[in-house]
């Protein structure tokens, strides 16, 4: 039985592990950063992208996903705009959604990268072509406080309903169980 390597303890160690993987979406190694809202996925993705200089980050928040929507509402537009072109070895063209202005931004080209970071609820679902799946979690009270700080108190009830939907989705999909790396959103990896 082959031995399982220990989990990486720093972002550079994780980056080295990711670059050693075979591609999973055309020439790219898709890294899925998943977990419940407010767990710390965006911060983790930003730190990892900084270490993987030039690695693009595509987020579920780059797509219009209403608070009352299915957590995978963003997956079909992601597949069409980003995954299918990259799988074919072509550049992707993404128009990121601006939540504050309620409109999509200008087209942005994403050349086929060695590593593509996809961050958001559902990024590591069973149908994801991820080469590596990262699950980030934190206590619900902390996640809720982060979400309210990010989105505003007027969205607290909407967040509570969203939280229940995403929890049901994660249970049905078994997302956490297929993760390659579990991260405590209260104590992320050191940068060096």
């Amino acid at each position: 039985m082959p031995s399982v390597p220990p989990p990486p303890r720093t972002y550079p160690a994780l980056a080295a592990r990711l670059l050693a993987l075979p591609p999973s979406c055309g020439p790219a190694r898709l890294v899925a950063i998943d977990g419940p809202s407010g767990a710390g996925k965006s911060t983790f993705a930003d730190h990892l992208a900084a270490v993987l200089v030039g690695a693009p980050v595509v987020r579920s928040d780059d797509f219009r996903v209403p608070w009352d929507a299915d957590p995978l509402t963003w997956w079909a537009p992601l597949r069409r705009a980003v995954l299918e072109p990259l799988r074919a070895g072509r550049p992707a063209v993404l128009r990121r959604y601006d939540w504050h202005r309620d409109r999509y931004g200008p087209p942005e080209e994403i050349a086929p990268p060695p590593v593509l970071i996809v961050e958001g609820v559902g990024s590591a679902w069973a149908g994801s072509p991820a080469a590596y799946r990262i699950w980030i979690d934190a206590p619900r009270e902390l996640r809720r406080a982060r979400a309210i700080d990010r989105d505003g108190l007027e969205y607290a009830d909407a967040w509570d309903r969203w939280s229940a939907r995403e929890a049901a989705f994660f249970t049905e999909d078994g997302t956490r169980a297929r993760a390659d790396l579990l991260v405590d959103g209260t104590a992320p990896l050191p940068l060096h």
Side-chain angles (χ1 to χ4, degrees):
M1 175 189 277
S3 65
V4 176
R9 298 188 184 278
T10 64
Y11 286 101
L14 176 57
R17 181 168 297 174
L18 298 174
L19 289 167
L21 295 172
S24 64
C25 184
R29 294 142 188 89
L30 191 152
V31 177
I33 302 177
D34 209 331
S37 175
K41 299 181 299 297
S42 294
T43 300
F44 192 94
D46 291 344
H47 290 316
L48 183 57
V51 172
L52 288 162
V53 178
V57 179
V58 178
R59 306 172 193 280
S60 58
D61 284 348
D62 291 336
F63 302 88
R64 189 176 187 286
V65 181
W67 282 104
D68 59 351
D70 178 290
L72 284 183
T73 296
W74 65 287
W75 195 261
L78 169 75
R79 186 178 62 245
R80 283 189 305 273
V82 178
L83 302 183
E84 288 174 359
L86 292 181
R87 189 174 286 132
R90 296 187 324 267
V93 177
L94 177 64
R95 293 183 66 209
R96 298 180 193 264
Y97 184 70
D98 183 329
W99 287 89
H100 300 289
R101 294 188 175 106
D102 190 26
R103 66 178 184 214
Y104 285 91
E108 172 187 334
E109 186 173 289
I110 300 172
V115 175
L116 172 69
I117 299 169
V118 177
E119 176 269 311
V121 172
S123 62
W125 75 293
S128 173
Y132 199 83
R133 289 170 162 85
I134 300 169
W135 175 266
I136 302 179
D137 208 345
R140 185 180 193 286
E141 301 76 30
L142 175 60
R143 293 187 295 103
R144 188 175 193 274
R146 287 174 175 172
I148 289 170
D149 186 50
R150 176 191 67 208
D151 301 325
L153 187 57
E154 64 271 21
Y155 292 105
D157 291 340
W159 187 89
D160 290 337
R161 291 187 300 276
W162 171 263
S163 179
R165 264 193 311 289
E166 71 183 7
F169 167 77
F170 290 138
T171 298
E172 180 180 326
D173 182 64
T175 314
R176 184 182 189 279
R178 91 174 54 81
D180 297 295
L181 177 64
L182 301 176
V183 175
D184 177 353
T186 65
L189 300 179
L191 295 173
H192 306 289

